[in-house]
Amino acid sequence: MSPTTQSIWNDLTQIRAQAPLVHNITNFVVMNNTANALLAVGASPAMVHSPAEVEDFVSISSSLVVNIGTLDDNFVTGMTLAMRRASELGKPIVFDPVGVGATAYRNQVSQDLLTLATPTVIRGNASEIMALAGLNAQTKGVDSLFGSDAALDAARRLSSVWSCVVVISGAVDYIVWKEQLAAVANGHPLMTKVTGMGCTATALTGAFVAVNTNYFQAATHAMAVMGIAGELAAEKKLAPAVFRSTSWTPYMP
């Protein structure tokens, strides 16, 4: 199954019309990049992680994105409170287990958060998805040592156990919902030279699940838009630093 141009455009139109507030608890490295990407597609980003206010922000948000890239105890407390509140309110949650498998701390935090509140979508690279599924996959920090297709069985396992959509990022992105599978081959190798592209894909997924309750379709659309943006920027033959900002020139009507 592959997304159609019309179905992707329908979601983008809804994002522009609704400007959903996407609440991000994400890492320091990507906050600005992901906020700009959300603005470019028409969503409204909020980068809020303080335990003192995350529950209030979840209450007024359309979706919650949780990214464990730069963990500390304060972040974990905020994530815990936010995910619990989002679950209580039935808000979609997108979970990005950045670097899971690299340390015992990340592994434990990830399992605790998943047990606390089932996410709507889990997005990670192949090593992260395999590690999260308990396959003891090797990882090189936050980078994957495997192609995305190597994690398909792990993604199916996660989808079944947690009853959620699972996205594996790679040269080909795979989106799994139990027995359903979509493959998105958009993108460009230059994207691997820019920090935070995976985190940006996670944030965009937060915008798409905010307007489309078919979460399998929404996640597939988000990955297609991510890849197409990279292709368009790569056509300009830019250096990676310039490529980063050019990828998210706002879409015009």
Side-chain angles (χ1 to χ4, degrees):
M1 174 185 172
S2 298
T4 66
T5 301
Q6 187 59 54
S7 65
I8 294 170
W9 187 249
N10 289 342
D11 274 3
L12 281 171
T13 300
Q14 287 303 308
I15 292 171
R16 292 179 182 178
Q18 298 178 30
L21 178 60
V22 181
H23 178 182
N24 296 263
I25 303 179
T26 191
N27 66 76
F28 292 120
V29 179
V30 304
M31 285 185 183
N32 186 65
N33 294 356
T34 55
N36 283 334
L38 286 166
L39 285 171
V41 297
S44 177
M47 305 293 161
V48 178
H49 56 265
S50 170
E53 62 176 350
V54 291
E55 291 176 294
D56 290 336
F57 255 92
V58 167
S59 298
I60 62 173
S61 298
S62 300
S63 63
L64 171 68
V65 173
V66 172
N67 175 310
I68 68 167
T70 50
L71 281 179
D72 63 28
D73 290 346
N74 190 63
F75 262 59
V76 173
T77 300
M79 292 171 182
T80 300
L81 293 170
M83 288 184 69
R84 180 185 293 128
R85 186 60 176 153
S87 181
E88 292 170 351
L89 296 174
K91 303 287 180 79
I93 302 169
V94 183
F95 180 62
D96 190 334
V98 178
V100 70
T103 69
Y105 182 52
R106 286 177 187 276
N107 296 347
Q108 188 60 59
V109 167
S110 295
Q111 290 302 318
D112 289 347
L113 291 174
L114 288 175
T115 302
L116 172 73
T118 300
T120 307
V121 179
I122 297 172
R123 192 222 60 85
N125 64 38
S127 289
E128 291 161 349
I129 295 302
M130 294 166 74
L132 199 62
L135 298 185
N136 297 316
Q138 290 181 307
T139 183
K140 187 172 70 175
V142 299
D143 295 325
S144 181
L145 295 177
F146 301 91
S148 53
D149 57 343
L152 281 169
D153 286 343
R156 292 187 180 101
R157 180 185 301 183
L158 286 175
S159 183
S160 177
V161 169
W162 300 109
S163 192
C164 67
V165 175
V166 178
V167 178
I168 317 163
S169 291
V172 177
D173 303 315
Y174 291 103
I175 300 89
V176 175
W177 165 238
K178 296 186 177 178
E179 299 306 315
Q180 295 186 69
L181 175 67
V184 175
N186 298 100
H188 190 275
L190 192 56
M191 298 172 77
T192 65
K193 305 300 181 183
V194 179
T195 299
M197 289 290 99
C199 300
T200 302
T202 300
L204 288 183
T205 303
F208 280 82
V209 299
V211 302
N212 186 348
T213 57
N214 181 333
Y215 299 129
F216 174 74
Q217 186 182 71
T220 304
H221 291 171
M223 299 310 295
V225 167
M226 181 73 195
I228 291 167
E231 291 171 357
L232 293 173
E235 287 178 359
K236 300 181 180 180
K237 296 181 172 58
L238 303 171
V242 183
F243 174 90
R244 180 185 67 180
S245 59
T246 306
S247 298
W248 296 111
T249 299
Y251 287 90
M252 300 303 291

